[in-house]
Amino acid sequence: MKTLQIHVPDDLDLSLGSTADELEVLARVTFALRLFEMGKVTSGQAAEIAKLPRRRFLLELAEHGIPAVSWDREELDAETAAISHTQ
């Protein structure tokens, strides 16, 4: 796995109770959420980037209002047809 390094200003306001470790977790999770939202990585890959179990990452998606699936019209029509067919 590759490592990225993020430089932050020395005077970054951590008065909100964030330690350097908490800031690192926030950066990892935020980065993973954004990559997933952009369609650049799968949920499994994003969970690995965030260093979270996949299930927890999926919960993070929900907490941030990011859909866990993104279907195009053709996929949605196929799913709708499959559901209609089984009923």
XYZ file of all heavy atoms in Angstrom:
677
model
N 0.847 -1.178 0.000
C 0.000 0.000 0.000
C 0.889 1.238 0.000
O 1.893 1.290 0.697
C -0.922 -0.007 1.226
C -1.861 1.169 1.250
S -3.065 1.141 2.594
C -4.190 -0.087 1.991
N 0.502 2.236 -0.759
C 1.245 3.493 -0.819
C 0.893 4.356 0.380
O -0.175 4.231 0.959
C 0.906 4.241 -2.101
C 1.341 3.502 -3.342
C 0.977 4.259 -4.577
C 1.379 3.440 -5.796
N 1.016 4.065 -7.030
N 1.794 5.248 0.721
C 1.582 6.160 1.835
C 1.577 7.586 1.321
O 2.431 7.961 0.511
C 2.711 6.005 2.888
O 2.708 4.670 3.363
C 2.515 6.958 4.039
N 0.607 8.366 1.774
C 0.541 9.790 1.458
C 0.850 10.564 2.721
O 0.471 10.161 3.816
C -0.853 10.179 0.965
C -1.343 9.512 -0.312
C -2.766 9.948 -0.608
C -0.445 9.863 -1.476
N 1.495 11.679 2.556
C 1.812 12.518 3.700
C 1.136 13.866 3.489
O 1.238 14.453 2.413
C 3.316 12.692 3.811
C 3.771 13.386 5.059
C 5.293 13.403 5.166
O 6.008 13.299 4.179
N 5.779 13.535 6.379
N 0.443 14.346 4.503
C -0.255 15.630 4.428
C 0.371 16.584 5.430
O 0.478 16.266 6.616
C -1.756 15.469 4.733
C -2.401 14.508 3.745
C -2.460 16.824 4.720
C -3.825 14.148 4.070
N 0.806 17.709 4.945
C 1.374 18.722 5.826
C 0.266 19.679 6.246
O -0.537 20.106 5.414
C 2.485 19.497 5.108
C 3.649 18.627 4.755
N 4.655 18.334 5.642
C 3.958 17.959 3.621
C 5.526 17.539 5.070
N 5.122 17.288 3.837
N 0.206 19.978 7.522
C -0.786 20.915 8.044
C -0.047 22.039 8.766
O 1.037 21.829 9.305
C -1.800 20.232 8.993
C -2.632 19.205 8.240
C -1.107 19.574 10.159
N -0.629 23.226 8.776
C 0.032 24.354 9.443
C 0.241 24.075 10.928
O -0.579 23.407 11.572
C -0.948 25.515 9.256
C -1.867 25.090 8.169
C -1.892 23.602 8.172
N 1.355 24.571 11.456
C 1.643 24.403 12.878
C 0.560 25.017 13.747
O 0.282 24.541 14.840
C 2.997 25.024 13.244
C 4.155 24.232 12.659
O 3.987 23.009 12.443
O 5.215 24.837 12.416
N -0.067 26.068 13.248
C -1.074 26.764 14.046
C -2.490 26.256 13.782
O -3.459 26.911 14.115
C -1.001 28.265 13.809
C -1.283 28.657 12.359
O -1.290 27.757 11.485
O -1.472 29.856 12.103
N -2.598 25.060 13.192
C -3.915 24.472 12.956
C -4.670 24.396 14.274
O -4.141 23.892 15.265
C -3.788 23.076 12.344
C -5.101 22.355 12.051
C -5.859 23.055 10.938
C -4.828 20.918 11.665
N -5.872 24.904 14.286
C -6.665 24.946 15.516
C -7.200 23.562 15.851
O -8.111 23.061 15.200
C -7.808 25.942 15.348
C -8.635 26.112 16.615
O -8.213 25.627 17.681
O -9.699 26.741 16.540
N -6.624 22.946 16.848
C -7.080 21.641 17.302
C -7.914 21.783 18.566
O -8.087 20.835 19.325
C -5.890 20.715 17.558
C -5.051 20.361 16.337
C -3.870 19.489 16.744
C -5.873 19.669 15.275
N -8.459 22.980 18.788
C -9.207 23.240 20.016
C -10.526 22.482 20.083
O -11.161 22.442 21.124
C -9.468 24.747 20.163
O -10.292 25.200 19.107
N -10.925 21.869 18.998
C -12.179 21.122 18.996
C -12.011 19.750 19.626
O -12.893 18.910 19.549
C -12.720 20.981 17.566
C -13.062 22.295 16.871
C -13.449 22.039 15.424
C -14.192 22.993 17.597
N -10.876 19.536 20.264
C -10.648 18.267 20.941
C -9.959 17.240 20.081
O -9.803 16.107 20.474
N -9.549 17.637 18.881
C -8.895 16.696 17.980
C -7.404 16.613 18.279
O -6.711 17.619 18.291
C -9.088 17.128 16.527
O -10.442 17.079 16.166
N -6.948 15.422 18.499
C -5.520 15.183 18.637
C -4.958 14.928 17.240
O -5.715 14.768 16.271
C -5.251 13.965 19.527
O -5.758 12.799 18.855
C -5.894 14.122 20.895
N -3.658 14.831 17.136
C -3.043 14.514 15.850
C -3.534 13.159 15.346
O -3.784 12.984 14.149
C -1.526 14.531 15.978
N -3.698 12.201 16.249
C -4.202 10.876 15.848
C -5.633 10.957 15.339
O -5.989 10.317 14.344
C -4.125 9.888 17.011
C -2.689 9.482 17.341
O -1.802 9.655 16.483
O -2.470 8.992 18.463
N -6.458 11.726 16.007
C -7.856 11.885 15.578
C -7.915 12.595 14.225
O -8.743 12.251 13.374
C -8.653 12.663 16.616
C -8.885 11.889 17.901
C -9.452 12.747 19.024
O -9.243 13.971 19.039
O -10.111 12.161 19.906
N -7.025 13.547 14.018
C -6.972 14.253 12.736
C -6.556 13.306 11.621
O -7.097 13.358 10.514
C -6.006 15.434 12.835
C -5.977 16.389 11.666
C -7.352 17.007 11.425
C -4.950 17.486 11.915
N -5.637 12.400 11.924
C -5.218 11.410 10.931
C -6.374 10.496 10.548
O -6.594 10.210 9.365
C -4.053 10.585 11.467
C -3.564 9.552 10.469
C -2.458 8.664 11.013
O -1.801 9.042 11.986
O -2.270 7.574 10.439
N -7.137 10.047 11.534
C -8.301 9.190 11.268
C -9.308 9.951 10.414
O -9.833 9.418 9.424
C -8.945 8.700 12.584
C -10.283 8.022 12.317
C -8.011 7.760 13.314
N -9.575 11.197 10.779
C -10.509 12.026 10.016
C -10.055 12.172 8.573
O -10.850 12.038 7.635
C -10.659 13.396 10.677
C -11.523 14.414 9.938
C -12.962 13.927 9.832
C -11.461 15.762 10.631
N -8.774 12.417 8.369
C -8.245 12.586 7.016
C -8.392 11.298 6.204
O -8.815 11.340 5.040
C -6.780 13.014 7.076
N -8.055 10.158 6.818
C -8.172 8.872 6.115
C -9.610 8.571 5.718
O -9.895 8.199 4.576
C -7.654 7.731 7.004
C -6.200 7.449 6.914
C -5.822 6.078 7.481
N -6.615 5.649 8.618
C -6.270 5.820 9.892
N -5.148 6.413 10.200
N -7.050 5.378 10.855
N -10.529 8.745 6.672
C -11.932 8.425 6.411
C -12.513 9.383 5.380
O -13.203 8.964 4.442
C -12.747 8.426 7.720
C -14.237 8.284 7.437
C -12.276 7.301 8.643
N -12.225 10.667 5.516
C -12.737 11.662 4.575
C -12.222 11.399 3.168
O -12.979 11.463 2.189
C -12.363 13.077 5.037
O -12.892 13.288 6.353
C -12.902 14.135 4.098
N -10.945 11.083 3.055
C -10.347 10.778 1.762
C -11.017 9.553 1.148
O -11.396 9.552 -0.035
C -8.842 10.551 1.952
C -8.084 10.262 0.693
C -8.092 11.146 -0.374
C -7.321 9.102 0.584
C -7.374 10.884 -1.539
C -6.608 8.831 -0.564
C -6.623 9.712 -1.633
N -11.209 8.513 1.940
C -11.833 7.284 1.446
C -13.278 7.533 1.024
O -13.721 7.036 -0.022
C -11.772 6.202 2.521
N -14.019 8.299 1.826
C -15.404 8.623 1.478
C -15.476 9.358 0.148
O -16.301 9.041 -0.711
C -16.045 9.492 2.571
C -16.393 8.806 3.890
C -16.728 9.845 4.952
C -17.544 7.836 3.710
N -14.602 10.322 -0.021
C -14.625 11.121 -1.263
C -14.238 10.284 -2.479
O -14.865 10.389 -3.534
C -13.691 12.321 -1.111
C -13.742 13.256 -2.276
C -15.105 13.949 -2.377
N -15.069 14.877 -3.490
C -15.915 14.842 -4.517
N -16.906 13.979 -4.527
N -15.801 15.688 -5.507
N -13.210 9.456 -2.338
C -12.821 8.589 -3.455
C -13.957 7.658 -3.844
O -14.222 7.443 -5.031
C -11.574 7.771 -3.094
C -10.256 8.526 -3.038
C -9.138 7.596 -2.559
C -9.897 9.130 -4.387
N -14.642 7.094 -2.851
C -15.774 6.217 -3.130
C -16.896 6.999 -3.806
O -17.466 6.549 -4.800
C -16.286 5.564 -1.845
C -17.482 4.691 -2.092
C -17.320 3.409 -2.580
C -18.761 5.159 -1.865
C -18.420 2.601 -2.841
C -19.870 4.366 -2.121
C -19.699 3.077 -2.611
N -17.202 8.176 -3.273
C -18.278 9.004 -3.835
C -17.992 9.367 -5.289
O -18.909 9.430 -6.114
C -18.422 10.269 -2.986
C -19.571 11.154 -3.391
C -19.719 12.351 -2.470
O -18.699 12.862 -1.952
O -20.856 12.782 -2.263
N -16.736 9.570 -5.623
C -16.339 9.908 -6.993
C -16.302 8.684 -7.904
O -16.120 8.814 -9.117
C -14.954 10.566 -6.982
C -14.921 11.911 -6.305
S -13.235 12.523 -6.036
C -12.594 12.556 -7.704
N -16.473 7.489 -7.322
C -16.441 6.276 -8.124
C -15.035 5.815 -8.468
O -14.850 5.008 -9.372
N -14.049 6.289 -7.742
C -12.656 5.937 -8.021
C -12.231 4.634 -7.365
O -11.267 4.012 -7.804
C -11.711 7.059 -7.563
C -11.984 8.400 -8.198
C -11.669 8.379 -9.664
C -11.852 9.756 -10.271
N -11.630 9.754 -11.711
N -12.921 4.234 -6.288
C -12.589 3.000 -5.572
C -13.872 2.277 -5.188
O -14.941 2.874 -5.132
C -11.754 3.282 -4.292
C -10.400 3.887 -4.635
C -12.512 4.167 -3.320
N -13.750 0.989 -4.926
C -14.881 0.203 -4.435
C -15.054 0.455 -2.944
O -14.159 1.018 -2.288
C -14.633 -1.301 -4.656
O -13.533 -1.699 -3.833
C -14.358 -1.614 -6.120
N -16.144 -0.020 -2.388
C -16.349 0.147 -0.945
C -15.295 -0.633 -0.159
O -14.843 -0.187 0.893
C -17.758 -0.278 -0.532
O -17.988 -1.633 -0.831
N -14.887 -1.778 -0.673
C -13.839 -2.559 -0.011
C -12.506 -1.825 -0.018
O -11.788 -1.808 0.990
N -12.164 -1.239 -1.156
C -10.916 -0.478 -1.244
C -10.970 0.749 -0.331
O -9.994 1.067 0.349
C -10.659 -0.039 -2.690
C -10.324 -1.176 -3.625
C -10.358 -0.751 -5.079
O -11.182 0.047 -5.507
N -9.433 -1.312 -5.862
N -12.110 1.428 -0.330
C -12.261 2.613 0.518
C -12.157 2.240 1.990
O -11.529 2.956 2.778
C -13.593 3.298 0.228
N -12.749 1.130 2.369
C -12.665 0.671 3.762
C -11.211 0.408 4.143
O -10.776 0.744 5.245
C -13.504 -0.584 3.958
N -10.466 -0.164 3.215
C -9.048 -0.430 3.475
C -8.276 0.883 3.647
O -7.456 1.008 4.555
C -8.458 -1.243 2.316
C -7.058 -1.716 2.559
C -6.538 -2.616 1.437
O -7.335 -3.068 0.590
O -5.321 -2.838 1.420
N -8.549 1.862 2.801
C -7.907 3.179 2.920
C -8.247 3.807 4.264
O -7.386 4.377 4.937
C -8.341 4.103 1.765
C -7.762 3.604 0.438
C -7.920 5.550 2.030
C -8.383 4.243 -0.786
N -9.507 3.705 4.656
C -9.970 4.303 5.914
C -9.526 3.502 7.139
O -9.669 3.971 8.266
C -11.492 4.421 5.898
N -9.000 2.291 6.895
C -8.615 1.375 7.975
C -9.812 1.048 8.861
O -9.741 1.053 10.086
C -7.453 1.930 8.804
C -6.161 2.053 8.035
C -5.022 2.473 8.934
C -3.726 2.566 8.144
N -2.615 3.019 8.992
N -10.937 0.758 8.182
C -12.174 0.382 8.856
C -12.662 -0.942 8.290
O -12.422 -1.232 7.112
C -13.268 1.429 8.612
C -13.075 2.830 9.148
C -14.197 3.736 8.655
C -13.031 2.808 10.660
N -13.385 -1.723 9.095
C -14.065 -2.878 8.508
C -15.066 -2.372 7.464
O -15.614 -1.267 7.594
C -14.793 -3.508 9.697
C -14.138 -2.945 10.916
C -13.608 -1.601 10.527
N -15.290 -3.155 6.424
C -16.182 -2.719 5.345
C -17.565 -2.344 5.879
O -18.158 -1.344 5.457
C -16.315 -3.804 4.277
C -17.126 -3.339 3.078
C -17.013 -4.327 1.922
N -17.850 -3.896 0.833
C -19.108 -4.293 0.648
N -19.665 -5.151 1.495
N -19.814 -3.857 -0.372
N -18.068 -3.124 6.816
C -19.388 -2.830 7.389
C -19.403 -1.446 8.030
O -20.350 -0.691 7.866
C -19.750 -3.904 8.416
C -21.119 -3.737 9.020
C -21.447 -4.934 9.936
N -22.796 -4.858 10.437
C -23.136 -4.208 11.542
N -22.231 -3.588 12.252
N -24.387 -4.181 11.935
N -18.356 -1.117 8.770
C -18.281 0.206 9.412
C -18.174 1.303 8.373
O -18.757 2.376 8.516
C -17.088 0.252 10.381
C -16.908 1.574 11.051
C -18.077 1.885 12.003
N -18.084 3.294 12.295
C -19.171 4.046 12.365
N -20.364 3.508 12.223
N -19.099 5.315 12.604
N -17.419 1.041 7.284
C -17.312 2.043 6.217
C -18.671 2.300 5.586
O -19.029 3.451 5.313
C -16.298 1.620 5.144
C -16.168 2.650 4.061
C -15.463 3.818 4.282
C -16.797 2.474 2.844
C -15.378 4.795 3.305
C -16.721 3.440 1.851
C -16.001 4.612 2.080
N -19.454 1.236 5.368
C -20.791 1.414 4.800
C -21.676 2.255 5.729
O -22.478 3.073 5.260
C -21.436 0.057 4.513
C -20.767 -0.763 3.402
C -21.364 -2.157 3.333
C -20.845 -0.054 2.066
N -21.514 2.094 7.030
C -22.248 2.929 7.983
C -21.781 4.384 7.907
O -22.588 5.308 8.025
C -22.087 2.390 9.404
C -22.759 1.049 9.678
C -22.358 0.518 11.060
C -24.269 1.152 9.559
N -20.480 4.578 7.688
C -19.950 5.939 7.519
C -20.582 6.601 6.293
O -20.899 7.785 6.314
C -18.427 5.924 7.363
C -17.664 5.677 8.623
C -17.684 6.850 9.597
O -17.769 8.014 9.168
O -17.604 6.585 10.804
N -20.753 5.824 5.223
C -21.414 6.363 4.027
C -22.794 6.898 4.382
O -23.144 8.028 4.016
C -21.544 5.281 2.949
C -20.279 4.835 2.232
C -20.588 3.652 1.335
C -19.669 5.972 1.437
N -23.558 6.098 5.095
C -24.908 6.502 5.486
C -24.875 7.756 6.360
O -25.679 8.667 6.173
C -25.616 5.362 6.210
N -23.931 7.798 7.297
C -23.834 8.948 8.199
C -23.498 10.236 7.458
O -23.832 11.330 7.918
C -22.778 8.685 9.277
C -23.210 7.644 10.292
C -22.122 7.303 11.295
O -21.159 8.086 11.441
O -22.244 6.250 11.941
N -22.842 10.103 6.296
C -22.466 11.274 5.507
C -23.386 11.502 4.304
O -23.116 12.349 3.458
C -21.014 11.152 5.049
C -20.043 11.319 6.172
N -19.674 10.278 6.998
C -19.405 12.409 6.639
C -18.831 10.722 7.903
N -18.660 12.015 7.712
N -24.470 10.733 4.242
C -25.443 10.919 3.166
C -24.940 10.513 1.792
O -25.400 11.030 0.776
N -24.007 9.575 1.758
C -23.453 9.103 0.492
C -24.063 7.737 0.183
O -23.966 6.821 0.998
C -21.915 8.982 0.569
C -21.299 10.348 0.896
C -21.341 8.420 -0.726
C -19.816 10.292 1.217
N -24.712 7.598 -0.971
C -25.316 6.308 -1.316
C -24.254 5.214 -1.440
O -23.174 5.438 -1.977
C -25.979 6.554 -2.671
C -25.955 8.016 -2.898
C -24.916 8.605 -2.000
N -24.579 4.036 -0.944
C -23.655 2.903 -1.018
C -23.651 2.271 -2.401
O -22.712 1.570 -2.753
C -24.015 1.859 0.031
N -24.692 2.504 -3.175
C -24.764 2.001 -4.548
C -25.126 3.147 -5.478
O -25.802 4.097 -5.086
C -25.794 0.854 -4.709
C -25.388 -0.359 -3.917
C -27.181 1.304 -4.330
N -24.679 3.024 -6.699
C -24.990 4.036 -7.704
C -25.307 3.307 -9.007
O -24.405 2.855 -9.709
C -23.789 4.973 -7.901
O -24.067 5.913 -8.901
N -26.572 3.152 -9.270
C -27.001 2.426 -10.453
C -27.339 3.390 -11.572
O -27.951 4.444 -11.358
C -28.239 1.583 -10.149
C -27.994 0.428 -9.227
C -26.787 -0.123 -8.901
C -28.970 -0.325 -8.519
N -26.958 -1.175 -8.044
C -28.279 -1.319 -7.791
C -30.347 -0.260 -8.422
C -28.937 -2.242 -6.993
C -30.992 -1.179 -7.626
C -30.298 -2.166 -6.924
N -26.967 3.007 -12.790
C -27.403 3.782 -13.935
C -28.811 3.334 -14.314
O -29.366 2.406 -13.726
C -26.416 3.663 -15.106
C -26.266 2.241 -15.643
O -27.189 1.420 -15.461
O -25.225 1.957 -16.248
N -29.422 3.973 -15.264
C -30.808 3.698 -15.644
C -30.991 2.240 -16.055
O -31.957 1.585 -15.669
C -31.234 4.648 -16.771
C -32.602 4.384 -17.382
C -33.755 4.255 -16.429
N -33.985 5.428 -15.621
C -34.862 5.485 -14.628
N -35.599 4.424 -14.338
N -35.029 6.563 -13.921
N -30.058 1.688 -16.820
C -30.165 0.307 -17.288
C -30.150 -0.685 -16.115
O -30.950 -1.624 -16.071
C -29.007 0.005 -18.236
C -29.081 -1.353 -18.897
C -27.950 -1.557 -19.889
O -27.825 -0.731 -20.814
O -27.203 -2.537 -19.699
N -29.257 -0.473 -15.153
C -29.182 -1.353 -13.977
C -30.461 -1.247 -13.142
O -30.982 -2.242 -12.660
C -27.970 -0.990 -13.115
C -26.641 -1.313 -13.761
C -25.471 -0.725 -13.000
O -25.548 0.449 -12.577
O -24.481 -1.453 -12.823
N -30.948 -0.036 -12.972
C -32.161 0.178 -12.193
C -33.359 -0.498 -12.862
O -34.163 -1.151 -12.193
C -32.422 1.674 -12.009
C -33.569 2.066 -11.099
C -33.395 1.479 -9.707
C -33.685 3.577 -11.022
N -33.464 -0.364 -14.185
C -34.555 -1.014 -14.917
C -34.478 -2.539 -14.777
O -35.500 -3.197 -14.605
C -34.532 -0.617 -16.397
C -34.952 0.830 -16.620
O -35.532 1.445 -15.691
O -34.690 1.356 -17.724
N -33.266 -3.091 -14.851
C -33.097 -4.539 -14.732
C -33.508 -5.011 -13.328
O -34.167 -6.051 -13.189
C -31.650 -4.921 -15.018
N -33.117 -4.266 -12.304
C -33.500 -4.628 -10.934
C -35.008 -4.533 -10.736
O -35.616 -5.396 -10.117
C -32.773 -3.738 -9.926
C -31.306 -4.045 -9.773
C -31.047 -5.429 -9.231
O -31.741 -5.862 -8.281
O -30.129 -6.101 -9.752
N -35.610 -3.487 -11.284
C -37.066 -3.302 -11.170
C -37.789 -4.462 -11.860
O -38.759 -5.008 -11.333
C -37.492 -1.960 -11.775
O -36.784 -0.917 -11.103
C -38.965 -1.729 -11.640
N -37.303 -4.847 -13.034
C -37.911 -5.942 -13.784
C -37.766 -7.253 -12.998
O -38.708 -8.047 -12.938
C -37.280 -6.079 -15.154
N -36.616 -7.470 -12.398
C -36.386 -8.696 -11.628
C -37.312 -8.753 -10.427
O -37.864 -9.812 -10.107
C -34.931 -8.770 -11.186
N -37.512 -7.636 -9.766
C -38.413 -7.598 -8.605
C -39.853 -7.854 -9.051
O -40.574 -8.612 -8.426
C -38.281 -6.251 -7.868
C -36.928 -6.151 -7.177
C -39.404 -6.085 -6.842
C -36.595 -4.792 -6.642
N -40.256 -7.214 -10.136
C -41.617 -7.376 -10.656
C -41.873 -8.822 -11.071
O -42.977 -9.347 -10.897
C -41.850 -6.457 -11.842
O -41.757 -5.118 -11.447
N -40.851 -9.457 -11.616
C -40.982 -10.827 -12.092
C -41.173 -11.823 -10.937
O -41.843 -12.837 -11.101
C -39.743 -11.206 -12.928
C -39.798 -12.588 -13.475
N -40.650 -12.953 -14.496
C -39.104 -13.712 -13.166
C -40.493 -14.230 -14.767
N -39.541 -14.712 -13.990
N -40.607 -11.551 -9.801
C -40.696 -12.467 -8.663
C -41.970 -12.285 -7.859
O -42.280 -13.105 -6.988
C -39.483 -12.306 -7.713
O -39.460 -10.972 -7.197
C -38.181 -12.634 -8.423
N -42.699 -11.254 -8.101
C -43.911 -10.998 -7.308
C -45.129 -11.618 -7.935
O -45.381 -11.833 -8.985
C -44.139 -9.495 -7.126
C -43.065 -8.884 -6.282
C -43.259 -7.383 -6.105
O -44.143 -6.767 -6.669
N -42.409 -6.791 -5.304
